């Protein structure tokens, strides 16, 4: 690549005109090269389980969905699902729920 316009097809990539002369992911903003090395993925990072509950997800990469549930005798307070977003605001949507008795 020679300038940023060469990297427009790779979401969240910029042209490294100084060292590699290739389109690279903006790691300082949480992006890494995807498995095919043809774009960048955003990692929302692992979620904490609520007290007296659990959270399930298969990935922490953008567009992943996390589903919360509570142990027997507890009820979820807030959302049951959150989605990982690579656009502003980046990260998991909403607020982590609680499990209340």
């Amino acid at each position: 690549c020679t300038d940023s316009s060469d990297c427009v097809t790779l979401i969240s990539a910029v042209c490294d005109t100084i060292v590699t002369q290739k389109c690279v992911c903006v790691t300082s903003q949480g992006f890494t090269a995807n498995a095919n090395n043809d774009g960048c993925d955003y990692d929302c990072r692992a979620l904490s389980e609520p007290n007296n509950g659990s959270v399930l997800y298969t990935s922490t990469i953008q567009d992943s969905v996390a589903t919360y549930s509570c142990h027997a005798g507890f009820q979820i307070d807030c959302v049951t699902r959150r989605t990982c977003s690579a656009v502003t605001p980046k990260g998991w949507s909403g607020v982590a729920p609680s499990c209340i008795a």
Side-chain angles (χ1 to χ4, degrees):
C1 63
T2 57
D3 62 42
S4 293
S5 65
D6 294 336
C7 302
V8 294
T9 59
L10 302 177
I11 296 172
S12 302
V14 295
C15 181
D16 178 6
T17 58
I18 298 171
V19 180
T20 64
Q21 304 296 307
K22 294 181 181 179
C23 296
V24 296
C25 299
V26 186
T27 56
S28 64
Q29 293 181 12
F31 291 92
T32 56
N34 66 17
N36 297 328
N37 280 327
D38 62 1
C40 303
D41 285 336
Y42 182 76
D43 188 351
C44 286
R45 302 183 195 254
L47 290 166
S48 298
E49 291 190 333
N51 291 333
N52 303 304
S54 62
V55 60
L56 297 172
Y57 48 90
T58 57
S59 173
T60 58
I61 301 302
Q62 76 264 3
D63 301 324
S64 297
V65 175
T67 303
Y68 290 84
S69 61
C70 295
H71 300 315
F74 293 87
Q75 178 178 333
I76 201 131
D77 179 34
C78 203
V79 298
T80 58
R81 293 169 47 124
R82 296 172 74 195
T83 304
C84 175
S85 176
V87 296
T88 304
K90 293 178 191 158
W92 291 104
S93 64
V95 177
S98 300
C99 292
I100 54 176

